[in-house]
Amino acid sequence: MTDPAVRTPPAPQATAGGFRTMMSGFPTGVCIVTCADLDGTPRGMTCSSLCSVSLEPPTLLVCLRAGSPTLRAVLDTGGFTVNLLHDGAREAAELFASGDPERFALIPWERPPESAGPHLLRDAHTIADCEVTLTHRTGDHVTVFGEARAIRQEQDRPPLLYGLRQFRSWSAA
């Protein structure tokens, strides 16, 4: 029991900076979410907010920044591709996080028929093409649920991780 005469100081208010610092201490895998807009222009962004949701049907979720061209294309077309990055793909992760409008000209990619978006074969260890099944906006991001329609294992390499604001390989972790 707590002594009612002892006052506990109020908890500090949560801030964006404090939240960012907290989440940096939770390492996660890194992917690049890609799609093509209605004109066929490739879109993509680095994403560490990826989570499995269900095995039956195979469903995952990604959280994308509201207002991004990638999110707009995902919503317009109803599909996206998740490129799970391997430990040698740090440059691709940084490039797609930079917002560089020429990013697709700077790395190799292909768009197989029936795919939801560009496949980054050099940088991904696994690729999943997904169909959007649900979206939910919270704050400055939109959670997009996608049912995996096709999954390709590309390379047998360890995943790229991100935590403490640094990229690391699984073996270095």
Side-chain angles (χ1 to χ4, degrees):
M1 276 210 26
T2 309
D3 182 349
V6 177
R7 301 198 105 183
T8 305
Q13 287 287 74
T15 64
F19 187 73
R20 180 176 288 132
T21 298
M22 179 188 85
M23 292 310 298
S24 76
F26 186 69
T28 185
V30 184
C31 71
I32 295 176
V33 174
T34 60
C35 58
D37 66 18
L38 293 173
D39 296 330
T41 303
R43 303 289 182 187
M45 62 192 289
T46 300
C47 178
S48 60
S49 298
L50 168 75
C51 181
S52 64
V53 176
S54 169
L55 291 175
E56 292 294 332
T59 303
L60 54 79
L61 67 78
V62 294
C63 296
L64 306 177
R65 182 180 50 83
S68 75
T70 301
L71 174 62
R72 178 80 270 140
V74 166
L75 298 177
D76 287 347
T77 63
F80 61 95
T81 298
V82 172
N83 294 272
L84 300 180
L85 301 184
H86 61 65
D87 62 352
R90 177 182 176 168
E91 287 181 22
E94 291 173 340
L95 176 63
F96 277 78
S98 74
D100 184 332
E102 300 300 317
R103 57 189 165 260
F104 281 98
L106 300 173
I107 66 164
W109 59 277
E110 70 175 39
R111 178 125 190 252
E114 307 299 318
S115 67
H119 289 192
L120 309 180
L121 301 178
R122 181 192 73 185
D123 298 302
H125 65 78
T126 306
I127 298 170
D129 287 296
C130 302
E131 179 183 326
V132 175
T133 57
L134 180 69
T135 62
H136 178 79
R137 183 172 180 148
T138 301
D140 59 1
H141 278 67
V142 175
T143 303
V144 181
F145 293 80
E147 184 175 337
R149 298 294 189 189
I151 300 172
R152 288 174 56 166
Q153 177 80 34
E154 289 300 322
Q155 300 183 43
D156 187 20
R157 293 187 64 173
L160 182 65
L161 302 177
Y162 186 75
L164 300 176
R165 299 186 179 114
Q166 301 173 45
F167 291 101
R168 293 278 190 246
S169 72
W170 184 266
S171 58

